[in-house]
């Protein structure tokens, strides 16, 4: 029995030894390996969750080469003992920028995991024994040069937004729309074309067309500085030419009654074609062209000269600068005179004429513009129904040859009174003799010498066109086309008596022979300068 019990005890011990006792498990371990942080129990063959790895950072919000991580974790499967499969990681880096090495490790680990059918012993999977992390450190994105371009190409650092801001309409230095086009899209412009040549010299004559932003236009020819056309709107918006003209250079040189010309050296008349400057008598009778008088500078005055023309344009006007040199003894005048005249047509349909001149010897000068106006655009054959108003209390009486008597008379109680709006034809037959009509200089009401002030206003009741004349000159010659007789034509248009009127701003006629009239003798140390403005509009 005792022997039997010993045998039984021996068998029991053998059984206990062969089955083994429960072993104590390993404690949890946390190991950091070159930038990859593992925060999970060491794998020991049990079915643990896959460890997670933080890509090179321990805190969220880390900026990585222009990319921001917010606790960006890449989940990796169980890492097996080192195998040849990890060797290509370093060679794969160029193809995987921005942390590509970690992605390769994950890919290789997934492939290896698929091939393993059973977990390896815990001892063999200790991270401390893996040589793989070394390549991982070399492929940390922080050491790669690639992130620099990413940071530079961030939208907030690109220079592109600056041009965008400059291109905003509110910041564009766009031109004033009124200086370019009107509401209908008319563009301000100046064009030039051939008009003809002088018959004897073949000197070229040009014609310029100036158009403002309202579509109003004027044409000027270099011969005589002539205003050839003035196309202006009526009350219905229809444009028409209000300036009398002729068709050819030859007509302007031979038969023109100074249609549209710049007049000089002396506009209007010098009686007897003689005068004195100091003790010197100037005799110009050889150039007399009007009943023994000198009219508008002589028969070959400025109106028959070809002017040098330069185009002129500002923000709200188109224009021309015209220049001429009148040499010593031209038409018998003393001294050499340089003249500059500027025409400016602005977007308010105002035509400004600016005159200036200098001389090297004392000489008379009295420049003016001689356009013949018909505000109906010649839809009516005469201007007798147009309404005129002249801002003058006095006028200058003339003799039978239209030379001033030297008197300055009041207009009150005479047919010369246009202080209130009056039809031009209302009293025209009461004035003048052979032919009848107005051809008189009015003494303008002025508050100060050289003041730019209203001289006259004319309204055409049919078309509604209006014209105001403003000037720094002391006088204005009112002429009603008395010498037109139907012989002159332009196309289908015939210029009958009173077909047009002139308002010629100027100093008084025959001033060199009238000491009581304002002075018209320009001296070498002086500059002649006057301004006249024609303001066109409509009255409905």
């Amino acid at each position: 029995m005792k022997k039997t019990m010993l045998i039984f005890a021996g068998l029991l011990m053998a059984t206990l030894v062969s089955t083994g006792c429960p072993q104590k498990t390993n404690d949890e371990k946390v190991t950091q390996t070159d930038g990859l942080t593992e925060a999970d129990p060491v794998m020991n063959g049990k079915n643990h969750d896959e460890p997670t790895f933080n890509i090179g950072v321990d805190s969220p919000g880390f900026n990585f080469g222009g990319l921001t991580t917010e606790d960006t974790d890449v989940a990796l499967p169980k890492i097996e003992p080192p195998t040849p499969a990890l060797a290509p990681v370093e060679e794969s880096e160029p193809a995987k920028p921005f942390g590509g090495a970690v992605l390769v490790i994950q890919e290789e680990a997934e492939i290896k995991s698929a091939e393993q059918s059973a977990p390896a012993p815990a001892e063999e999977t200790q991270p401390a024994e893996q040589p793989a992390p070394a390549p991982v450190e070399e492929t940390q994105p922080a050491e790669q040069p690639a992130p620099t371009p990413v940071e530079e190409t961030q939208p907030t650092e690109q220079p592109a937004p600056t041009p965008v801001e400059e291109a905003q309409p509110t910041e564009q230095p766009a031109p004033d729309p009124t200086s370019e086009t009107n509401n209908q899209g008319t563009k301000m412009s100046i064009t030039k074309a051939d008009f003809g040549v002088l018959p004897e010299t073949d000197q070229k004559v040009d014609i310029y067309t100036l158009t403002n932003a309202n579509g109003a236009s004027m044409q000027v020819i270099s011969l005589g500085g002539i205003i050839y056309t003035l196309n202006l709107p009526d009350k219905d918006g229809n444009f028409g030419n209000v300036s009398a003209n002729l068709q050819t250079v030859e007509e302007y040189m031979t038969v023109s009654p100074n249609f549209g010309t710049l007049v000089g050296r002396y506009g209007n008349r010098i009686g007897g074609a003689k005068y004195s400057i100091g003790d010197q008598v100037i005799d110009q009778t050889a150039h007399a062209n009007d009943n023994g008088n000198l009219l508008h500078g002589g028969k070959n005055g400025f109106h028959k000269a070809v002017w040098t023309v330069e185009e002129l344009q500002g923000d709200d006007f188109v224009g021309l600068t015209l220049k001429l040199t009148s040499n010593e003894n031209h038409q018998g005048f003393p001294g050499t005179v340089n003249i500059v005249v500027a025409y400016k047509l602005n977007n308010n349909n105002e035509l400004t004429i600016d005159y200036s001149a200098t001389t090297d010897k004392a000489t008379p000068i009295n420049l003016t513009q001689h356009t013949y106006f018909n505000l109906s655009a010649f839809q009516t054959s005469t201007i007798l129904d147009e309404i005129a108003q002249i801002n003058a209390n006095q006028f200058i009486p003339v003799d039978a040859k239209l030379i001033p008597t030297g008197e300055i008379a009041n207009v009150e109680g005479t047919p010369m009174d246009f202080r209130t709006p009056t039809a031009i034809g209302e009293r025209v037959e009461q004035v003048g003799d052979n032919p009848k009509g107005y051809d008189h200089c009015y003494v303008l009401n002025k508050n100060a010498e050289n003041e730019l002030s209203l001289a006259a206003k004319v309204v055409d009741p049919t078309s509604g066109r209006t014209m105001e004349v403003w000037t720094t000159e002391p006088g204005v010659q009112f002429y009603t086309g008395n010498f037109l007789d139907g012989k002159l034509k332009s196309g289908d248009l015939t210029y009958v008596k009173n077909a047009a009127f002139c308002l010629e701003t100027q100093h008084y006629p025959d001033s060199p022979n009238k000491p009581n009239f304002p002075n018209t003798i320009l001296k070498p140390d002086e500059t002649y300068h006057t301004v006249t403005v024609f303001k066109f509009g409509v009255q409905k």
Side-chain angles (χ1 to χ4, degrees):
M1 180 64 175
K2 186 177 181 179
K3 184 178 182 179
T4 301
M5 290 296 292
L6 289 173
I7 294 172
F8 176 80
L11 290 173
L12 178 60
M13 290 295 294
T15 301
L16 289 174
V17 172
S18 63
T19 56
C21 296
Q23 302 293 314
K24 184 177 180 180
T25 59
N26 293 329
D27 295 332
E28 293 181 351
K29 296 181 182 179
V30 178
T31 306
Q32 180 167 338
T33 307
D34 297 327
L36 298 183
T37 301
E38 180 183 347
D40 244 329
V42 176
M43 289 176 291
N44 56 8
K46 293 188 178 182
N47 188 19
H48 291 293
D49 294 332
E50 295 177 345
T52 58
F53 293 83
N54 192 297
I55 305 179
V57 294
D58 296 321
S59 62
F62 178 76
N63 189 289
F64 181 68
L67 300 178
T68 302
T69 62
E70 300 291 342
D71 286 326
T72 303
D73 296 332
V74 177
L76 297 181
K78 294 176 289 186
I79 298 178
E80 301 297 338
T83 65
L86 293 179
V89 171
E90 185 174 350
E91 298 176 0
S92 301
E93 289 177 11
K96 298 287 183 176
F98 316 127
V102 174
L103 299 180
V104 171
I105 292 173
Q106 179 179 355
E107 181 179 349
E108 295 291 346
E110 288 175 348
I111 295 172
K112 187 65 180 178
S113 177
E115 294 175 351
Q116 296 294 327
S117 58
E123 285 184 6
E124 297 178 358
T125 59
Q126 294 301 319
E129 299 179 8
Q130 295 185 25
V136 174
E137 180 177 359
E138 296 175 3
T139 60
Q140 288 303 308
E143 297 180 10
Q144 295 187 21
T148 301
V150 174
E151 184 172 355
E152 293 176 356
T153 58
Q154 292 302 308
T156 55
E157 298 182 21
Q158 292 184 8
T162 301
V164 172
E165 283 186 47
E166 294 176 355
Q168 295 301 315
T170 55
E171 297 183 12
Q172 287 287 340
D176 183 359
T178 60
S179 72
E180 295 293 332
T181 61
N182 68 348
N183 291 335
Q184 289 74 42
T186 302
K187 186 176 182 180
M188 290 198 307
S189 64
I190 302 174
T191 61
K192 175 183 174 182
D194 294 338
F195 187 78
V197 296
L198 297 183
E200 297 181 0
T201 64
D202 289 335
Q203 186 175 3
K204 183 181 177 183
V205 177
D206 297 315
I207 184 167
Y208 295 81
T209 301
L210 288 67
T211 305
N212 72 8
N214 302 315
S217 67
M218 65 181 291
Q219 290 181 300
V220 177
I221 60 177
S222 55
L223 173 63
I226 292 167
I227 295 179
Y228 188 67
T229 62
L230 268 170
N231 287 290
L232 301 165
D234 64 11
K235 61 185 178 182
D236 298 318
N238 299 313
F239 286 81
N241 172 39
V242 301
S243 174
N245 60 29
L246 297 171
Q247 299 294 302
T248 67
V249 169
E250 185 176 2
E251 289 176 301
Y252 279 110
M253 293 295 290
T254 57
V255 300
S256 172
N258 283 289
F259 278 172
T261 61
L262 283 173
V263 170
R265 284 188 197 186
Y266 199 93
N268 218 313
R269 295 171 175 86
I270 296 177
K274 291 181 183 180
Y275 52 93
S276 296
I277 299 178
D279 295 334
Q280 182 183 7
V281 175
I282 310 297
D283 187 342
Q284 295 177 248
T285 54
H287 304 282
N289 59 340
D290 179 62
N291 296 319
N293 304 313
L294 193 72
L295 175 64
H296 295 328
K299 58 186 175 183
N300 290 313
F302 294 174
H303 59 286
K304 290 187 178 179
V306 176
W307 294 61
T308 298
V309 181
E310 299 173 359
E311 297 180 8
L312 183 65
Q313 186 163 348
D315 290 340
D316 65 344
F317 72 86
V318 283
L320 300 171
T321 299
L322 300 97
K323 298 179 180 180
L324 183 70
T325 296
S326 176
N327 293 320
E328 169 86 23
N329 204 39
H330 175 237
Q331 297 296 283
F333 285 99
T336 296
V337 176
N338 293 306
I339 305 99
V340 178
V341 178
Y343 290 148
K344 296 180 182 179
L345 177 64
N346 70 19
N347 292 332
N348 292 321
N349 293 352
E350 298 172 346
L351 171 60
T352 298
I353 306 177
D354 188 297
Y355 309 83
S356 63
T358 57
T359 183
D360 61 358
K361 289 184 181 180
T363 187
I365 191 161
N366 189 28
L367 305 178
T368 191
Q369 223 293 332
H370 210 290
T371 292
Y372 285 64
F373 295 99
N374 182 314
L375 296 184
S376 75
F378 299 94
Q379 295 304 299
T380 57
S381 60
T382 73
I383 43 80
L384 297 179
D385 290 333
E386 296 187 14
I387 310 300
Q389 185 176 7
I390 300 175
N391 183 25
N393 295 330
Q394 297 174 310
F395 75 103
I396 298 175
V398 294
D399 63 18
K401 292 186 176 181
L402 300 177
I403 301 300
T405 64
E407 178 189 4
I408 296 179
N410 292 324
V411 300
E412 186 175 0
T414 74
M416 308 299 296
D417 191 354
F418 280 90
R419 290 177 297 174
T420 58
T422 305
I424 293 173
E426 185 174 319
R427 296 168 298 193
V428 70
E429 293 299 320
Q430 302 175 34
V431 181
D433 183 30
N434 193 29
K436 298 286 185 180
Y438 296 96
D439 195 1
H440 299 77
C441 186
Y442 282 79
V443 178
L444 296 174
N445 298 331
K446 292 277 186 179
N447 294 321
E449 186 178 1
N450 299 321
E451 174 193 25
L452 181 65
S453 60
L454 178 66
K457 181 176 181 178
V458 182
V459 178
D460 174 50
T462 303
S463 67
R465 291 188 185 92
T466 66
M467 182 180 78
E468 292 183 359
V469 183
W470 293 66
T471 188
T472 60
E473 290 279 25
V476 62
Q477 184 84 4
F478 182 43
Y479 173 56
T480 51
N482 311 326
F483 292 97
L484 298 175
D485 57 8
K487 293 180 181 179
L488 290 178
K489 297 186 177 182
S490 180
D492 295 332
L493 181 62
T494 299
Y495 297 114
V496 300
K497 182 183 177 181
N498 307 130
F501 68 87
C502 301
L503 284 166
E504 309 158 51
T505 58
Q506 58 188 243
H507 274 58
Y508 308 155
D510 201 31
S511 289
N513 291 315
K514 302 293 187 296
N516 61 316
F517 286 1
N519 174 56
T520 56
I521 304 300
L522 180 67
K523 297 177 181 179
D525 60 346
E526 299 172 335
T527 297
Y528 172 91
H529 181 234
T530 70
V531 176
T532 294
V533 182
F534 294 92
K535 299 182 179 183
F536 300 100
V538 292
Q539 177 177 294
K540 296 185 179 180

